[in-house]
Amino acid sequence: MTASSASRQKTTPKLTQSPTWKALKDERAAWKNIHLRDLFAHDKKRNARYSLALDDADETFLLDYSKNLIRPQTLKLLLKLAKEAKVEALRDAMFSGEKINHTEGRAVLHTALRGKTPVQVDGYDVMPDIGAVLERMRVFADRVRTGKWKGYSGKPISDVVNIGIGGSDLGPAMACLALKPYGGNIRAHFVSNVDPSQLVDTLEDLDPATTLFIVASKTFTTQETLLNAQAARAWFLDTAKDPQQVAKHFVAVSTNAEAVAAFGIDTANMFGFWDWVGGRYSLWSAIGLPIALYIGMDAFEELLAGGHDLDTHFKEAPLDQNMPVLMALIGLWYTNFWDAQAYAVLPYEQRLARFPAYLQQLDMESSGKGITRDGKPVTCATGPVLFGEPGTNGQHAFYQLIHQGTALIPCDFIAGRESHNDVNGQHAVLLSNFLAQTEALMRGKTLLEVQKELTAEGRKPAEIKALAPHKVFPGNRPTNSLLYRRLTPRTLGRLIALYEHKVFVQGVLWNVNSYDQWGVELGKQLAKVILPELHGGKPGNHDSSTLGLIQRILGD
Ligand code: G6Q
């Protein structure tokens, strides 16, 4: 089948009625009597069987998926499901520029931003345009970083403030924090919320003469971003006075040149991208400008190369050795057959503190859908709730529920073998916790083990009887472990692209469009109706709760 016919045809219309789905239900039932502890005890090669690495000399990138509730027949069925859903054909359709985002009539080509081979959209090769924007980003980033770009008073830029929200904020903000060791002399700040406190707090310590604002908005119509940009311009002009100087302190990243010009930013200072770059997939485009300013263009291109590594792997590895495919299938196994409604991403890397929030948008905005590509209600659960915090912090907060609660929460544990800062031997302590948690979740602790421990502590029988049930860990709680050498730009690129492709595969399996986000529209529409009412306009036709709250806000 060609890629083109694959994306046109209705994919997996009856996924949940297929014999493979039914066989997976039986497989789930068989798991009632299986414990991972026993599987590990009886199969010394389990780790080797269920691990995959992207190996090159110094960038180890390993996925150990052996601590999952899988056995050979589970994987066989899941892989069959992927074949039946035509994951490979749909993947090829995406890479080749087909308009797989059918509700918006757009191609999905963030992979082209980190690729090298020509890709055509509507018969037009997009690669030369991508190269031209990258080149402009390089020239600009170099000028700013070397102090050749001067502010209105002749001083070089010391601080960059990115004003954007959602996809125009989360990726660059996450990446700048993650790549702090590669940062140079420019500080990067991010303002997204329409709550003015964020802008006020950010600007508090900044000097208008040395601050550069990037107004980042694909559409350049986003209320929050435009309001913050206007307020930032007013703050700047308060000191600089001369509107002519705005050009030296405001640049834009957008697909909408007209709106950028209307806002008052010279389009000579605009970095473009294209409608085939989805917001939450856009950090690889000019939306990554704050990253390039922060870490330099060479390092930014390393990030792109990391994304490309995963693209190559995703395209070329057979399904049973394909990291994003396996992660997607295992995730679906828990969502649809174990009723897992949440999923935790737990980086043992403080600098990945914003990675779960970034993935939250990637996963929940892409897979949080209840209608199939054919416009029918889905017949199974789709995307889970994703959450996470860096380890070890999370251990002292919510891990209790993951270990002993009633919900099954599959987790991804992420860590680097090496730290950029090993102080006081603490990196080994961090890693010992990373390892201990997945082992504990897998093994658990039996009643007998608890009783023995309490007896050894010299506790009395009555005390042991009362306390023991509370100290039992059921185990059999699934985890993936992702291990890389060190958090470099290339590694971060790999990590992000791994999750992007995982989300893509799940979208194919669930037969939803991963690339639209209509669910964010209704609230925006209603906010437009309510705003005039907060300025004293006539009360609208609301429910009594909303009306009551409006009255309280107005102090009536
Ligand atoms: C992402 C979404 C959304 C978007 C923001 C900002 O996939 O589309 O998060 O990125 O709403 O949109 P603009 O970049 O157009 O301001």
Side-chain angles (χ1 to χ4, degrees), residues 165-168 216-222 225 273 278-282 287 361 365 517 524:
I165 195 164
S168 301
S217 174
K218 181 174 168 181
T219 55
F220 229 77
T221 57
T222 305
T225 301
F273 61 115
R280 55 193 172 278
Y281 298 85
S282 64
I287 288 290
Q361 182 189 28
E365 213 165 57
Q517 56 283 315
K524 284 194 208 171

mmCIF file of all heavy atoms in Angstrom, residues 165-168 216-222 225 273 278-282 287 361 365 517 524, ligand 1:
data_model
loop_
_atom_site.group_PDB
_atom_site.id
_atom_site.type_symbol
_atom_site.label_atom_id
_atom_site.label_comp_id
_atom_site.label_asym_id
_atom_site.label_seq_id
_atom_site.Cartn_x
_atom_site.Cartn_y
_atom_site.Cartn_z
ATOM 1 N N ILE A 165 2.686 31.396 24.403
ATOM 2 C CA ILE A 165 1.961 30.493 25.314
ATOM 3 C C ILE A 165 1.751 29.142 24.629
ATOM 4 O O ILE A 165 1.815 29.048 23.389
ATOM 5 C CB ILE A 165 0.626 31.142 25.770
ATOM 6 C CG1 ILE A 165 0.029 30.407 26.984
ATOM 7 C CG2 ILE A 165 -0.392 31.217 24.632
ATOM 8 C CD1 ILE A 165 -1.064 31.195 27.713
ATOM 9 N N GLY A 166 1.491 28.126 25.422
ATOM 10 C CA GLY A 166 1.245 26.782 24.875
ATOM 11 C C GLY A 166 2.464 26.294 24.109
ATOM 12 O O GLY A 166 3.593 26.351 24.598
ATOM 13 N N GLY A 167 2.234 25.897 22.860
ATOM 14 C CA GLY A 167 3.326 25.406 22.038
ATOM 15 C C GLY A 167 4.395 26.458 21.770
ATOM 16 O O GLY A 167 5.524 26.129 21.429
ATOM 17 N N SER A 168 4.060 27.718 21.927
ATOM 18 C CA SER A 168 5.032 28.786 21.686
ATOM 19 C C SER A 168 5.775 29.164 22.965
ATOM 20 O O SER A 168 6.428 30.218 23.025
ATOM 21 C CB SER A 168 4.328 30.011 21.095
ATOM 22 O OG SER A 168 3.694 29.654 19.889
ATOM 23 N N ALA A 216 6.349 35.371 20.295
ATOM 24 C CA ALA A 216 6.263 34.086 19.594
ATOM 25 C C ALA A 216 4.814 33.638 19.512
ATOM 26 O O ALA A 216 4.205 33.297 20.527
ATOM 27 C CB ALA A 216 7.096 33.035 20.332
ATOM 28 N N SER A 217 4.269 33.674 18.323
ATOM 29 C CA SER A 217 2.890 33.230 18.163
ATOM 30 C C SER A 217 2.674 32.796 16.721
ATOM 31 O O SER A 217 2.832 33.602 15.795
ATOM 32 C CB SER A 217 1.916 34.367 18.517
ATOM 33 O OG SER A 217 0.593 33.967 18.229
ATOM 34 N N LYS A 218 2.319 31.535 16.559
ATOM 35 C CA LYS A 218 2.109 31.022 15.212
ATOM 36 C C LYS A 218 1.048 31.846 14.484
ATOM 37 O O LYS A 218 1.234 32.287 13.370
ATOM 38 C CB LYS A 218 1.692 29.552 15.316
ATOM 39 C CG LYS A 218 1.452 28.869 14.000
ATOM 40 C CD LYS A 218 1.197 27.384 14.213
ATOM 41 C CE LYS A 218 0.663 26.738 12.971
ATOM 42 N NZ LYS A 218 0.385 25.314 13.147
ATOM 43 N N THR A 219 -0.069 32.078 15.176
ATOM 44 C CA THR A 219 -1.185 32.784 14.542
ATOM 45 C C THR A 219 -1.075 34.297 14.677
ATOM 46 O O THR A 219 -1.655 35.046 13.918
ATOM 47 C CB THR A 219 -2.503 32.373 15.229
ATOM 48 O OG1 THR A 219 -2.351 32.633 16.646
ATOM 49 C CG2 THR A 219 -2.810 30.913 15.012
ATOM 50 N N PHE A 220 -0.367 34.728 15.679
ATOM 51 C CA PHE A 220 -0.277 36.134 16.080
ATOM 52 C C PHE A 220 -1.663 36.726 16.370
ATOM 53 O O PHE A 220 -1.925 37.906 16.140
ATOM 54 C CB PHE A 220 0.477 36.990 15.052
ATOM 55 C CG PHE A 220 1.534 37.832 15.698
ATOM 56 C CD1 PHE A 220 2.747 37.286 16.095
ATOM 57 C CD2 PHE A 220 1.301 39.172 15.982
ATOM 58 C CE1 PHE A 220 3.712 38.053 16.742
ATOM 59 C CE2 PHE A 220 2.260 39.956 16.619
ATOM 60 C CZ PHE A 220 3.466 39.383 16.997
ATOM 61 N N THR A 221 -2.534 35.894 16.881
ATOM 62 C CA THR A 221 -3.852 36.382 17.287
ATOM 63 C C THR A 221 -4.131 35.984 18.737
ATOM 64 O O THR A 221 -5.215 36.246 19.249
ATOM 65 C CB THR A 221 -4.963 35.752 16.415
ATOM 66 O OG1 THR A 221 -4.853 34.334 16.524
ATOM 67 C CG2 THR A 221 -4.865 36.167 14.966
ATOM 68 N N THR A 222 -3.183 35.333 19.387
ATOM 69 C CA THR A 222 -3.441 34.784 20.718
ATOM 70 C C THR A 222 -3.511 35.895 21.762
ATOM 71 O O THR A 222 -2.570 36.685 21.926
ATOM 72 C CB THR A 222 -2.353 33.749 21.080
ATOM 73 O OG1 THR A 222 -2.349 32.780 20.032
ATOM 74 C CG2 THR A 222 -2.612 33.071 22.406
ATOM 75 N N THR A 225 -0.730 36.412 24.488
ATOM 76 C CA THR A 225 0.562 36.824 23.949
ATOM 77 C C THR A 225 0.522 38.277 23.491
ATOM 78 O O THR A 225 1.440 39.058 23.774
ATOM 79 C CB THR A 225 0.942 35.884 22.781
ATOM 80 O OG1 THR A 225 0.990 34.563 23.313
ATOM 81 C CG2 THR A 225 2.275 36.244 22.166
ATOM 82 N N PHE A 273 7.636 30.473 10.148
ATOM 83 C CA PHE A 273 7.509 29.022 10.021
ATOM 84 C C PHE A 273 6.214 28.744 9.282
ATOM 85 O O PHE A 273 5.683 29.652 8.633
ATOM 86 C CB PHE A 273 7.713 28.271 11.334
ATOM 87 C CG PHE A 273 6.775 28.565 12.471
ATOM 88 C CD1 PHE A 273 5.921 27.580 12.952
ATOM 89 C CD2 PHE A 273 6.743 29.805 13.092
ATOM 90 C CE1 PHE A 273 5.065 27.824 14.015
ATOM 91 C CE2 PHE A 273 5.896 30.063 14.152
ATOM 92 C CZ PHE A 273 5.053 29.073 14.610
ATOM 93 N N GLY A 278 2.847 21.986 13.876
ATOM 94 C CA GLY A 278 1.854 22.132 14.944
ATOM 95 C C GLY A 278 2.475 22.852 16.135
ATOM 96 O O GLY A 278 3.677 22.708 16.401
ATOM 97 N N GLY A 279 1.672 23.628 16.855
ATOM 98 C CA GLY A 279 2.189 24.403 17.996
ATOM 99 C C GLY A 279 3.040 23.564 18.938
ATOM 100 O O GLY A 279 4.170 23.918 19.271
ATOM 101 N N ARG A 280 2.496 22.429 19.375
ATOM 102 C CA ARG A 280 3.220 21.629 20.372
ATOM 103 C C ARG A 280 4.362 20.830 19.768
ATOM 104 O O ARG A 280 5.043 20.088 20.471
ATOM 105 C CB ARG A 280 2.237 20.733 21.132
ATOM 106 C CG ARG A 280 1.375 19.841 20.274
ATOM 107 C CD ARG A 280 0.239 19.253 21.099
ATOM 108 N NE ARG A 280 -0.732 18.530 20.298
ATOM 109 C CZ ARG A 280 -1.734 19.079 19.610
ATOM 110 N NH1 ARG A 280 -1.885 20.395 19.613
ATOM 111 N NH2 ARG A 280 -2.586 18.346 18.924
ATOM 112 N N TYR A 281 4.538 20.957 18.471
ATOM 113 C CA TYR A 281 5.657 20.289 17.785
ATOM 114 C C TYR A 281 6.628 21.321 17.211
ATOM 115 O O TYR A 281 7.400 21.021 16.316
ATOM 116 C CB TYR A 281 5.115 19.404 16.651
ATOM 117 C CG TYR A 281 4.205 18.296 17.170
ATOM 118 C CD1 TYR A 281 2.851 18.528 17.408
ATOM 119 C CD2 TYR A 281 4.717 17.032 17.470
ATOM 120 C CE1 TYR A 281 2.028 17.529 17.917
ATOM 121 C CE2 TYR A 281 3.899 16.026 17.968
ATOM 122 C CZ TYR A 281 2.556 16.286 18.183
ATOM 123 O OH TYR A 281 1.750 15.293 18.686
ATOM 124 N N SER A 282 6.564 22.569 17.736
ATOM 125 C CA SER A 282 7.224 23.655 17.008
ATOM 126 C C SER A 282 8.574 24.089 17.563
ATOM 127 O O SER A 282 9.187 24.994 17.026
ATOM 128 C CB SER A 282 6.277 24.870 16.938
ATOM 129 O OG SER A 282 6.031 25.377 18.222
ATOM 130 N N ILE A 287 10.341 28.846 16.420
ATOM 131 C CA ILE A 287 9.860 28.946 17.810
ATOM 132 C C ILE A 287 11.008 28.595 18.769
ATOM 133 O O ILE A 287 11.039 29.030 19.920
ATOM 134 C CB ILE A 287 8.615 28.035 18.016
ATOM 135 C CG1 ILE A 287 7.390 28.634 17.309
ATOM 136 C CG2 ILE A 287 8.303 27.780 19.497
ATOM 137 C CD1 ILE A 287 6.807 29.906 17.929
ATOM 138 N N GLN A 361 1.323 18.639 27.527
ATOM 139 C CA GLN A 361 0.677 19.225 26.344
ATOM 140 C C GLN A 361 0.794 18.295 25.141
ATOM 141 O O GLN A 361 -0.188 18.029 24.451
ATOM 142 C CB GLN A 361 1.273 20.588 25.977
ATOM 143 C CG GLN A 361 0.522 21.153 24.765
ATOM 144 C CD GLN A 361 1.111 22.390 24.154
ATOM 145 O OE1 GLN A 361 2.311 22.621 24.220
ATOM 146 N NE2 GLN A 361 0.267 23.190 23.535
ATOM 147 N N GLU A 365 -2.917 16.994 24.664
ATOM 148 C CA GLU A 365 -3.578 17.754 23.599
ATOM 149 C C GLU A 365 -3.665 16.904 22.325
ATOM 150 O O GLU A 365 -4.549 17.095 21.501
ATOM 151 C CB GLU A 365 -2.813 19.062 23.324
ATOM 152 C CG GLU A 365 -3.724 20.199 22.913
ATOM 153 C CD GLU A 365 -3.071 21.566 22.995
ATOM 154 O OE1 GLU A 365 -2.026 21.779 22.360
ATOM 155 O OE2 GLU A 365 -3.609 22.437 23.693
ATOM 156 N N GLN A 517 -6.700 20.410 18.001
ATOM 157 C CA GLN A 517 -6.942 20.677 19.425
ATOM 158 C C GLN A 517 -8.194 21.527 19.574
ATOM 159 O O GLN A 517 -8.195 22.575 20.178
ATOM 160 C CB GLN A 517 -5.727 21.352 20.104
ATOM 161 C CG GLN A 517 -5.228 22.668 19.482
ATOM 162 C CD GLN A 517 -4.435 22.458 18.230
ATOM 163 O OE1 GLN A 517 -3.577 21.606 18.162
ATOM 164 N NE2 GLN A 517 -4.756 23.233 17.195
ATOM 165 N N LYS A 524 -12.297 29.653 25.172
ATOM 166 C CA LYS A 524 -11.844 30.936 24.598
ATOM 167 C C LYS A 524 -13.045 31.752 24.131
ATOM 168 O O LYS A 524 -13.131 32.952 24.359
ATOM 169 C CB LYS A 524 -10.955 30.673 23.370
ATOM 170 C CG LYS A 524 -9.553 30.221 23.662
ATOM 171 C CD LYS A 524 -8.756 30.349 22.357
ATOM 172 C CE LYS A 524 -7.620 29.373 22.291
ATOM 173 N NZ LYS A 524 -6.978 29.326 20.970
HETATM 174 C C1 G6Q B 1 -0.433 23.612 20.382
HETATM 175 C C2 G6Q B 1 -1.595 24.472 20.457
HETATM 176 C C3 G6Q B 1 -1.442 25.669 21.357
HETATM 177 C C4 G6Q B 1 -0.750 26.873 20.728
HETATM 178 C C5 G6Q B 1 -1.020 28.096 21.591
HETATM 179 C C6 G6Q B 1 -0.321 29.315 21.086
HETATM 180 O O1 G6Q B 1 -0.338 22.634 19.688
HETATM 181 O O2 G6Q B 1 -1.961 24.812 19.169
HETATM 182 O O3 G6Q B 1 -0.807 25.379 22.559
HETATM 183 O O4 G6Q B 1 0.607 26.620 20.588
HETATM 184 O O5 G6Q B 1 -2.389 28.311 21.672
HETATM 185 O O6 G6Q B 1 -0.730 29.629 19.796
HETATM 186 P P1 G6Q B 1 0.004 30.706 18.963
HETATM 187 O O7 G6Q B 1 1.409 30.249 18.735
HETATM 188 O O8 G6Q B 1 -0.751 30.834 17.680
HETATM 189 O O9 G6Q B 1 0.007 31.980 19.764
#
